[in-house]
C-alpha cells in the first residue's frame, strides 16, 4: 500500500535564476550573492535594500496606525488616573507570555494598578472562558486588556461589558464577522494587506500599545522591552518583513544585554556555556522559545510570566531548571504521540485521503501541536491530532498544515460540529464533543484534503545561490574562501525566519572521496569536509549516516545546504545539508576533448564569414547535419539545460563555438504551458506535435503521463533552464570554454554553473 509522502521523498530542486530586476548597484554595495537573494525577495531599489539591511534606514510605523489603538490608549490612561484595576488577560504560548510580561513590565512603572491572568491549556483553552472570567470579575477588575487573544470571544466580552467592565482586545488572530462588541479591538488584520503592521503578532501589538502610552505620557525608555518583542515575534513564527523584521533587528541587541534575570538565566542555560556570539533569531526559535512554551504545554504558563518579570536571580535560576526538566518530559510525551499516531497512519491510504485527522485517549494535549508538525513534515499532509478526555467528554485538538492549505478555513467549514476552534492558517486548535468526534474527523479530513494539491505535497527546494564546486576549485580561486564570502554576504540579510528564510546554497558537482565524505563518531550523521587555504569547513547531513555507502558510489553529487554560525567558534560557519542528489548520469564520449575556441557575438550581429557554420536554433542535436572535422558551431539559441549542451557538443565536436544567442523570451512560457495543459486535457498528446508547437524538448514531453505533471516536472525543468540561460547570458567566454571542456572530456559529469 502507498502510505503517502515521507521524509525520504526526493526534493524537487528549483534552481532560481537571477531576476531581470537585478540591481548592479546593490551588487557593488552588498555583494553579488546578497544582491541576488534580495532581488529574488522583491528588493530591487537602493531604498528598499537599505531599509531591509539596516534598521537605521527603516521608518517605523506610528502606533496610531493600528485601528482603535488611540481609543484603547485613552481608556487606559483614564484607568490610571482613576486608580482602576487593570487585568491583562494573556495566552499560554510564547507569544502570549511575552506579551503579558511586556505589558506588566511596561505599565507597572507608569503607575497602573495591574494584574494578569492566563488560562490553563489543558482545561480552559485559548482566550476568554466563562469560569475564569467570573473569577476575574469577582476580584474587582474594572478593565480587561487581552493580549494575543480575545477577538473570537464575543459572548464573554458581552458578559463583561454588561457588568460595567470595559474590554480592550489586542489580538492578531482571524477576524470574526461581526467583531466583538468590545471597548476597542486592536488587531493588525483590520489593516490593508500591504500595511507595514499587518504581520504583527500579539507581542508586536502589545509593544505598539506600550509605545503609544509612553509617548502620551512623555516618558522615554520603551525600547528596553524590545528583548521580549524579539522573542515573541520569532517564537510565534511571524513573517520577518516590514515592522516585524525591524522590531526583531532592534530587539536582538537588547536581548544580548538584557537586564531581566529570567532571560539571562535562560540564555546561559540554552547556550551551555558554548555560545561565543550574540543570540540570533535561530537561537530564539530553537532554544529559547521551546523552553518558554513548555510550561504552558504541561503546567501553568503563569510561571513563564514570572520568569520573564522576576527581579530575583535565584528564583529565575530555579524556574529555568524546572523548565528544563519539563522540556525533557515534553520530548518523551511528544515521541509517544508521534509513534502512536504513525501506527494509525500506516493503515491509511494518504494518496487517496490527502490529510490526517486522528484521535486517541492518553495523548497529552500540550504536545499535540509539536507532534502534528512532525507528522506534516514526515507525510507531507495537513495533520490534526485530537486528545480524547473521557472524563469530560471532550476532545482537545491541535493542527498544523502545509503552505497554501488554510487550517482556519477548513475549521470554519466544519464550525457547526465544533465547540471551539481557531488560530492561524498554518496552526490552529479545536475543541469537540466526543459524541460527534467521528463526524468531525471525517468532515475535517475532507475539507483539508480538498485544499491540498500535488504541488503543495511535493518537497520543493528553492535554491537561490548556485555554485559549480568542481569548476570553482579547478580555477585559481579557493572554493572554501568563496563560501566564506557567500556566508559573509548572507549575514547582511539576518535575521532569518518565516518570510525571510536562510538562503539555500547548492554545491553542484562535488566529487566525494574517503577524505571529504564520512560519518560522525556515532555513525548517525553524514559529514562532508571542504578543504581550502582559509581552513576546513564541515557540512553536516543530520540523521543520514546510513547513506554513506550510497553517496560514496556516486562520482559527483549536488549538495543543497544552508550556512549557519558555528556555535563552538571553531569555524566561521558550518553547513546544514538539506538534500543530496547524484549529479546525473552522462554518456561518456569516445574521444578526448580538443580545445574549444570561443567567439563572443552575444548582443552583436554575426559577420558574413560565419554564415556557413553549423547553426543550432533549438532543434534536437541528432537532427543536425553531420559536421566536417573542426566545424564551427553557432549557438543561435541557448540549449535548454547543461545536458542538452553536452549532447550538442558531443554530436558536433566543434573546434570553435560562436555565442550568438540572446536572452530567452521567458514571458511567453506561461502561455505555452497553459496551452500545453489544454491540449493534454483535450487528448492531443503526441510529443512530436506538442514539441513543434511549444518549442519544449520532445524528450520532456514524452515523459509526461498526466496533466498534473506539467506544473511539477515541466515547470521544475523550466526554472532550472532559466537559471542556466541567465548564467550563459552573463558568463565570460573563459567560463563557458571551461564548461564545454568538462562536457567533452572522458568521464564528463553534469555541469552546473556558478551564478557569480
Amino acid at each position: 500500500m502507498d502510505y503517502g509522502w515521507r521524509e525520504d521523498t526526493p526534493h524537487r530542486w528549483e534552481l532560481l535564476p537571477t531576476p531581470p530586476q537585478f540591481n548592479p548597484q546593490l551588487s557593488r554595495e552588498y555583494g553579488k550573492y546578497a544582491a541576488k537573494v534580495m532581488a529574488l525577495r522583491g528588493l530591487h531599489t537602493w531604498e528598499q535594500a537599505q531599509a531591509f539591511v539596516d534598521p537605521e534606514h527603516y521608518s517605523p510605523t506610528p502606533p496610531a496606525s493600528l485601528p482603535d489603538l488611540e481609543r484603547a490608549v485613552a481608556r487606559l490612561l483614564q484607568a490610571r488616573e482613576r486608580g482602576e484595576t487593570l487585568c491583562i488577560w494573556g495566552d499560554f504560548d510564547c507569544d502570549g507570555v511575552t506579551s503579558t510580561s511586556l505589558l506588566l513590565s511596561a505599565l507597572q512603572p507608569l503607575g497602573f494598578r495591574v494584574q494578569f491572568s492566563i488560562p490553563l491549556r489543558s482545561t480552559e483553552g485559548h482566550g476568554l472562558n466563562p469560569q475564569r472570567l467570573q473569577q476575574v470579575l469577582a476580584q474587582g477588575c474594572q478593565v480587561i486588556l487581552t493580549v494575543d487573544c480575545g477577538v473570537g470571544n464575543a459572548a464573554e466580552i458581552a458578559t463583561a461589558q454588561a457588568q460595567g467592565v470595559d474590554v480592550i482586545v489586542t489580538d492578531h488572530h482571524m477576524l470574526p464577522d461581526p467583531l466583538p462588541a468590545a471597548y476597542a479591538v486592536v488587531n493588525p488584520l483590520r489593516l490593508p494587506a500591504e500595511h507595514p503592521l499587518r504581520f504583527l503578532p500579539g507581542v508586536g501589538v502589545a509593544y505598539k500599545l506600550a509605545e503609544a502610552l509612553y509617548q502620551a505620557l512623555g516618558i522615554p525608555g520603551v525600547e528596553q522591552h524590545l528583548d521580549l518583542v524579539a522573542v515573541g515575534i520569532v517564537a510565534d513564527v511571524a513573517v520577518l518583513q516590514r515592522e516585524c523584521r525591524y522590531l526583531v533587528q532592534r530587539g536582538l541587541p537588547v536581548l544580548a544585554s538584557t537586564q531581566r534575570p529570567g532571560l539571562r538565566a535562560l540564555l546561559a542555560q540554552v547556550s551551555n556555556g558554548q555560545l561565543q556570539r550574540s543570540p540570533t533569531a535561530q537561537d530564539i526559535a530553537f532554544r529559547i522559545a521551546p523552553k518558554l512554551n513548555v510550561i504552558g504545554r504541561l503546567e501553568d504558563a503563569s510561571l513563564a510570566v514570572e520568569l520573564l518579570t522576576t527581579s530575583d536571580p535565584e528564583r529565575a535560576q530555579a524556574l529555568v531548571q524546572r523548565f528544563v526538566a519539563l522540556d525533557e518530559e515534553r520530548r518523551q510525551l511528544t515521541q509517544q504521540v508521534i509513534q502512536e499516531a504513525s501506527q494509525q497512519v500506516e493503515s491509511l491510504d494518504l494518496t487517496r485521503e490527502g490529510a490526517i485527522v486522528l484521535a486517541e485517549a492518553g495523548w497529552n494535549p500540550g504536545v499535540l501541536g509539536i507532534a502534528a508538525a512532525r507528522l506534516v513534515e514526515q507525510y507531507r499532509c495537513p495533520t490534526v491530532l485530537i486528545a480524547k478526555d473521557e472524563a469530560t467528554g471532550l476532545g482537545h485538538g491541535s493542527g498544523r498544515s502545509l503552505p497554501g492549505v488554510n487550517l482556519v478555513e477548513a475549521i470554519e467549514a466544519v464550525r457547526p460540529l465544533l465547540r471551539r476552534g481557531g488560530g492561524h492558517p498554518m496552526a490552529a486548535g479545536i475543541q469537540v464533543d466526543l459524541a460527534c468526534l467521528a463526524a468531525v474527523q471525517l468532515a475535517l479530513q475532507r475539507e483539508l484534503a480538498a485544499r491540498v494539491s500535488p504541488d503543495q505535497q511535493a518537497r520543493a527546494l528553492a535554491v537561490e545561490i548556485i555554485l559549480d564546486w568542481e569548476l570553482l576549485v579547478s580555477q585559481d580561486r579557493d572554493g572554501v574562501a568563496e563560501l566564506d564570502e557567500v556566508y559573509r554576504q548572507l549575514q547582511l540579510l539576518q535575521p532569518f525566519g518565516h518570510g525571510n528564510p536562510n538562503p539555500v546554497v547548492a554545491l553542484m558537482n562535488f566529487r566525494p572521496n574517503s577524505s571529504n565524505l564520512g560519518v560522525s563518531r556515532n555513525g548517525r550523521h553524514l559529514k562532508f569536509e571542504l578543504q581550502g587555504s582559509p581552513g576546513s569547513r564541515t557540512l553536516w547531513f543530520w540523521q543520514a549516516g546510513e547513506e554513506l555507502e550510497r553517496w560514496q558510489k556516486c562520482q559527483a553529487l549536488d549538495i543543497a545546504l544552508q550556512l549557519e554560525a558555528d556555535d563552538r567558534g571553531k569555524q566561521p560557519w558550518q553547513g546544514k545539508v538539506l538534500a543530496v542528489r547524484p549529479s546525473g548520469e552522462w554518456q561518456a564520449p569516445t574521444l578526448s576533448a580538443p580545445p574549444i575556441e570561443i567567439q563572443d557575438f552575444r548582443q552583436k550581429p554575426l559577420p558574413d564569414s560565419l554564415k556557413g557554420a553549423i547553426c543550432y536554433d533549438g532543434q534536437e542535436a541528432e537532427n543536425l547535419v553531420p559536421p566536417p572535422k573542426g566545424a564551427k558551431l553557432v549557438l543561435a539559441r541557448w540549449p535548454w539545460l547543461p545536458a542538452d549542451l553536452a549532447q550538442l557538443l558531443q554530436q558536433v565536436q566543434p573546434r570553435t563555438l560562436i555565442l550568438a544567442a540572446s536572452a530567452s523570451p521567458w514571458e511567453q512560457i506561461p502561455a505555452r504551458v497553459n496551452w500545453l495543459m489544454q491540449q493534454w486535457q483535450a487528448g492531443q498528446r503526441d510529443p512530436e506535435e506538442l514539441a513543434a508547437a511549444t518549442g519544449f524538448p520532445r524528450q520532456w514531453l514524452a515523459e509526461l503521463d498526466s496533466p498534473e505533471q506539467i506544473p511539477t516536472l515541466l515547470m521544475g525543468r523550466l526554472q532550472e533552464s532559466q537559471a542556466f540561460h541567465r548564467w550563459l547570458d552573463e558568463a565570460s567566454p573563459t567560463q563557458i570554454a571551461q564548461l564545454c571542456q568538462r562536457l567533452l572530456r572522458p568521464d564528463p559529469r553534469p555541469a552546473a554553473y556558478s551564478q557569480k
Side-chain angles (χ1 to χ4, degrees):
M1 180 181 292
D2 182 1
Y3 297 119
W5 296 84
R6 298 180 180 275
E7 288 184 342
D8 58 357
T9 301
H11 287 82
R12 186 179 75 248
W13 292 49
E14 298 176 354
L15 305 182
L16 302 183
T18 303
Q21 303 94 329
F22 181 82
N23 189 335
Q25 183 183 10
L26 302 184
S27 180
R28 291 189 293 270
E29 177 67 22
Y30 300 115
K32 56 201 171 189
Y33 301 113
K36 180 190 176 186
V37 174
M38 284 192 278
L40 286 168
R41 299 183 182 183
L43 304 170
H44 305 304
T45 69
W46 175 248
E47 292 74 20
Q48 289 174 328
Q50 274 191 314
F52 187 84
V53 171
D54 186 357
E56 293 292 338
H57 290 277
Y58 179 87
S59 298
T61 308
S65 299
L66 284 166
D68 279 1
L69 187 126
E70 290 181 314
R71 180 173 170 82
V73 168
R75 182 64 183 90
L76 291 172
L77 292 176
Q78 186 182 67
R80 176 176 176 268
E81 293 171 3
R82 294 176 176 176
E84 294 176 320
T85 299
L86 168 67
C87 178
I88 300 172
W89 191 302
D91 193 30
F92 40 69
D93 68 0
C94 196
D95 187 19
V97 299
T98 52
S99 303
T100 304
S101 302
L102 186 153
L103 288 179
L104 281 173
S105 302
L107 299 188
Q108 284 176 335
L110 301 182
F112 284 86
R113 295 181 59 184
V114 59
Q115 59 190 42
F116 77 96
S117 178
I118 294 182
L120 298 173
R121 180 194 292 261
S122 58
T123 58
E124 296 173 305
H126 172 82
L128 305 177
N129 64 82
Q131 294 77 21
R132 185 174 286 249
L133 177 61
Q134 291 304 319
Q135 296 174 11
V136 169
L137 296 177
Q139 293 168 359
C141 171
Q142 291 148 305
V143 179
I144 294 176
L145 173 61
T146 75
V147 290
D148 191 33
C149 65
V151 76
N153 297 115
E156 291 81 4
I157 290 172
T159 298
Q161 294 279 160
Q163 297 186 36
V165 175
D166 286 329
V167 180
I168 298 171
V169 173
T170 71
D171 200 353
H172 70 119
H173 292 91
M174 299 296 290
L175 299 172
D177 186 15
L179 291 174
Y183 187 89
V185 178
V186 185
N187 190 317
L189 293 185
R190 298 178 66 185
L191 296 167
E194 297 304 316
H195 196 281
L197 301 183
R198 173 81 175 190
F199 298 142
L200 288 181
V203 72
V205 180
Y207 178 77
K208 284 296 179 182
L209 177 63
E211 185 180 14
L213 285 168
Y214 274 61
Q215 290 174 357
L217 295 170
I219 298 175
V222 70
E223 296 83 5
Q224 66 184 296
H225 304 295
L226 284 170
D227 50 359
L228 294 176
V229 178
V231 172
I233 287 177
V234 175
D236 208 52
V237 200
V239 179
L240 292 187
Q241 298 173 13
R242 309 175 197 168
E243 203 85 4
C244 281
R245 175 177 174 82
Y246 168 77
L247 291 173
V248 174
Q249 285 175 308
R250 287 296 196 195
L252 285 172
V254 181
L255 177 62
S257 58
T258 183
Q259 298 305 302
R260 300 177 192 274
L263 275 181
R264 293 172 67 90
L266 190 56
L267 283 168
Q269 196 284 325
V270 299
S271 67
N272 198 25
Q274 295 183 351
L275 198 61
Q276 305 296 319
R277 52 173 174 75
S278 297
T280 65
Q282 287 76 17
D283 294 321
I284 294 173
F286 299 108
R287 297 179 173 184
I288 298 174
K291 301 295 188 299
L292 288 175
N293 269 324
V294 70
I295 193 71
R297 295 186 183 280
L298 301 183
E299 291 190 10
D300 188 347
S302 298
L303 292 174
V305 175
E306 182 184 357
L307 174 70
L308 297 175
T309 56
T310 183
S311 58
D312 182 353
E314 292 186 3
R315 177 59 176 163
Q317 187 62 43
L319 286 170
V320 166
Q321 294 306 314
R322 182 173 181 179
F323 287 16
V324 170
L326 282 174
D327 195 39
E328 181 57 35
E329 181 182 348
R330 188 268 307 167
R331 293 174 188 272
Q332 297 174 4
L333 292 171
T334 302
Q335 191 58 35
Q336 172 200 341
V337 174
I338 292 173
Q339 290 177 350
E340 294 179 2
S342 297
Q343 291 174 359
Q344 293 190 45
V345 172
E346 295 303 312
S347 65
L348 303 177
D349 182 357
L350 294 184
T351 304
R352 177 177 58 84
E353 299 197 13
I356 299 170
V357 182
L358 303 176
E360 186 63 69
W363 286 350
N364 189 300
V367 302
L368 295 184
I370 303 174
R374 301 276 179 83
L375 294 176
V376 170
E377 176 64 21
Q378 182 175 355
Y379 295 104
R380 303 303 297 169
C381 287
T383 300
V384 177
L385 301 178
I386 302 169
K388 297 190 293 186
D389 186 342
E390 305 288 355
T392 63
L394 298 177
H396 302 274
S398 186
R400 296 295 185 268
S401 192
L402 298 168
V405 182
N406 193 313
L407 263 179
V408 175
E409 288 182 356
I411 288 172
E412 288 300 321
V414 301
R415 173 71 64 180
L417 299 173
L418 304 176
R419 289 176 61 93
R420 303 177 68 177
H424 303 289
M426 292 285 289
I430 60 173
Q431 188 181 84
V432 304
D433 288 313
L434 294 186
C436 62
L437 177 59
V440 169
Q441 287 183 261
L442 179 60
L444 191 53
Q445 179 269 321
R446 289 180 175 175
E447 287 294 335
L448 288 170
R451 290 167 169 78
V452 178
S453 69
D455 279 353
Q456 288 160 330
Q457 284 193 312
R459 299 171 64 85
L461 189 67
V463 179
E464 294 178 285
I465 302 298
I466 307 163
L467 299 174
D468 187 324
W469 186 251
E470 186 178 12
L471 187 60
L472 189 63
V473 299
S474 67
Q475 299 173 351
D476 294 335
R477 304 173 68 181
D478 188 303
V480 170
E482 190 72 14
L483 277 173
D484 285 355
E485 177 62 17
V486 173
Y487 177 73
R488 184 195 69 79
Q489 292 184 25
L490 295 187
Q491 294 317 291
L492 299 173
L493 309 182
Q494 288 269 21
F496 295 132
H498 181 48
N500 183 48
N502 189 355
V504 177
V505 179
L507 303 186
M508 316 294 280
N509 298 315
F510 176 88
R511 288 181 171 268
N513 55 52
S514 58
S515 64
N516 63 26
L517 178 60
V519 294
S520 59
R521 291 181 180 178
N522 59 13
R524 294 172 57 189
H525 312 300
L526 198 65
K527 67 176 181 177
F528 302 84
E529 292 285 352
L530 308 181
Q531 299 295 330
S533 57
S536 65
R537 305 288 182 264
T538 305
L539 314 181
W540 288 102
F541 197 1
W542 304 111
Q543 305 299 329
E546 72 279 0
E547 299 182 20
L548 175 63
E549 185 177 352
R550 172 187 176 187
W551 300 125
Q552 283 177 328
K553 295 178 180 178
C554 296
Q555 291 185 310
L557 302 172
D558 297 339
I559 306 171
L561 66 143
Q562 291 172 322
L563 305 180
E564 299 180 338
D566 184 0
D567 292 343
R568 299 169 299 174
K570 295 183 178 180
Q571 303 176 135
W573 56 268
Q574 65 180 9
K576 175 186 175 183
V577 176
L578 306 176
V580 177
R581 68 178 185 182
S583 291
E585 297 179 358
W586 293 70
Q587 182 179 357
T590 57
L591 301 174
S592 60
I596 292 183
E597 176 191 359
I598 302 292
Q599 295 183 12
D600 191 357
F601 289 94
R602 290 172 291 186
Q603 309 300 327
K604 300 176 185 177
L606 281 173
D608 293 338
S609 60
L610 295 176
K611 290 185 177 179
I614 297 172
C615 182
Y616 172 78
D617 194 23
Q619 66 269 48
E620 304 289 345
E622 61 267 22
N623 294 336
L624 289 172
V625 176
K629 185 176 182 180
K632 294 181 178 180
L633 174 62
V634 177
L635 294 183
R637 279 184 55 183
W638 296 134
W640 288 97
L641 292 170
D644 302 303
L645 177 58
Q647 185 180 10
L648 182 63
L649 293 173
Q650 294 169 16
Q651 174 77 10
V652 178
Q653 294 285 320
R655 292 290 181 89
T656 303
L657 186 66
I658 295 94
L659 310 178
S662 57
S664 301
W666 293 102
E667 67 277 1
Q668 300 175 10
I669 295 298
R672 294 185 193 177
V673 172
N674 185 55
W675 180 88
L676 179 62
M677 294 185 70
Q678 293 175 353
Q679 297 302 305
W680 254 85
Q681 292 167 352
Q684 300 178 19
R685 302 174 182 178
D686 182 81
E688 293 283 355
E689 295 180 3
L690 295 176
T694 62
F696 298 148
R698 183 186 68 247
Q699 181 182 354
W700 294 6
L701 301 176
E703 294 176 3
L704 297 175
D705 295 323
S706 66
E708 289 76 15
Q709 286 186 309
I710 293 175
T712 54
L713 176 64
L714 186 60
M715 289 305 297
R717 289 182 175 174
L718 287 171
Q719 286 178 325
E720 192 166 348
S721 178
Q722 191 174 7
F724 181 44
H725 286 197
R726 182 74 181 188
W727 184 84
L728 289 170
D729 288 338
E730 299 175 350
S732 69
T734 300
Q735 289 174 317
I736 294 176
Q738 291 173 327
L739 179 65
C740 293
Q741 288 300 122
R742 291 179 51 211
L743 294 174
L744 280 170
R745 73 187 183 195
D747 182 32
R749 303 307 306 162
Y753 33 90
S754 176
Q755 293 197 340
K756 297 177 287 186

